[in-house]
Amino acid sequence: MSLQTLKQQALANPQVREEYNKLENEFSLIDQLLSMRSTAGLTQAQVAEKMGTQKSNISRLEKGSSNPSWKTLLNYAQACGFQLAIKATKVS
Amino acid sequence: MSLQTLKQQALANPQVREEYNKLENEFSLIDQLLSMRSTAGLTQAQVAEKMGTQKSNISRLEKGSSNPSWKTLLNYAQACGFQLAIKATKVS
DNA sequence: ATTAAAGTTATCCTTTATGATAACCACCAA
DNA sequence: TTGGTGGTTATCATAAAGGATAACTTTAAT
């Protein structure tokens, strides 16, 4: 059995799929944060300053070890010169 | 001077515009939550049950008086049968 | 090899989001 | 009018987010 089919079977389980989807979303969230800041050409310290906080907090945010609030996401995006919206897509 | 031009002038101020953008985003967030649940045809109590919480908390969430965490948004979306992503668009 | 800048990690403290419960309002059907 | 359903509000307790500071690692430049 290949890894692919193993993954398929695992994802056939609705419970597993839910967790998987959540993980995917978390990954993409962090990716988006990083990509916003890098295309803005800003350092963590610069973003922190614009947000009125500390660079260590930005690092914590970007390392994915936390669970940011919506307002924090908005502020971060704004500091990087972006506007934010959520995209909801029907699943299953 | 018309209301329109007054608004334009106000929005010409970067600080004002930042706040305005944040508000717009907050509105659209709540709209999306409501729309997810209504297209799913679920009651607050049903969503609450799927999320493992209480209907009063769902109400609080939807009334916009709070600032939900990303995971809370993911859970809510999932309970309504949606997947979530953030869309970042360059501004100004 | 040194230095400086960028990023990471740990810790403490304060604020706030979230869970839980209970009482309430609005509406509609029986 | 009564009962049921969907939604709201208030309050409390607890878990967790976010701010601040400091020490540390990594990386890049000279």
Side-chain angles (χ1 to χ4, degrees):
Chain A
M1 179 190 304
S2 79
L3 252 167
Q4 258 308 319
T5 57
L6 192 64
K7 182 180 168 189
Q8 298 297 347
Q9 292 192 359
L11 291 181
N13 178 337
Q15 309 244 18
V16 172
R17 193 173 56 241
E18 287 200 2
E19 291 307 317
Y20 182 80
N21 287 340
K22 278 194 249 183
L23 278 179
E24 291 271 297
N25 278 322
E26 280 173 31
F27 286 146
S28 78
L29 175 69
I30 296 172
D31 288 346
Q32 299 239 24
L33 295 185
L34 291 173
S35 123
M36 275 189 268
R37 184 166 67 82
S38 81
T39 75
L42 297 171
T43 67
Q44 289 184 343
Q46 287 171 320
V47 172
E49 153 124 61
K50 284 172 187 276
M51 289 176 67
T53 184
Q54 261 53 44
K55 64 174 186 166
S56 56
N57 299 324
I58 304 302
S59 176
R60 178 170 58 189
L61 188 57
E62 293 182 351
K63 294 304 281 184
S65 42
S66 82
N67 174 29
S69 74
W70 179 241
K71 279 180 188 160
T72 298
L73 294 176
L74 285 185
N75 286 334
Y76 181 98
Q78 194 132 272
C80 295
F82 285 83
Q83 235 185 306
L84 228 54
I86 63 173
K87 188 164 60 86
T89 62
K90 195 140 187 70
V91 76
S92 71
Chain B
M1 180 189 303
S2 80
L3 252 167
Q4 257 310 317
T5 55
L6 192 64
K7 183 180 168 190
Q8 296 299 345
Q9 293 191 359
L11 291 181
N13 179 336
Q15 309 242 16
V16 172
R17 193 172 56 240
E18 285 200 4
E19 290 307 316
Y20 181 80
N21 287 339
K22 276 194 250 180
L23 279 178
E24 291 272 296
N25 278 321
E26 280 173 30
F27 286 144
S28 78
L29 174 69
I30 296 173
D31 290 346
Q32 300 241 23
L33 295 185
L34 290 173
S35 123
M36 275 189 271
R37 184 166 67 85
S38 83
T39 74
L42 297 172
T43 68
Q44 289 184 342
Q46 287 171 320
V47 173
E49 154 125 59
K50 285 171 186 273
M51 288 177 66
T53 183
Q54 262 52 44
K55 63 174 186 164
S56 55
N57 299 324
I58 305 302
S59 175
R60 178 170 57 190
L61 190 56
E62 292 182 351
K63 297 302 282 182
S65 42
S66 81
N67 175 30
S69 74
W70 180 241
K71 279 180 187 160
T72 298
L73 294 176
L74 285 184
N75 286 335
Y76 180 97
Q78 196 134 268
C80 295
F82 286 83
Q83 236 187 304
L84 228 52
I86 64 173
K87 186 164 64 83
T89 61
K90 195 138 188 71
V91 76
S92 68

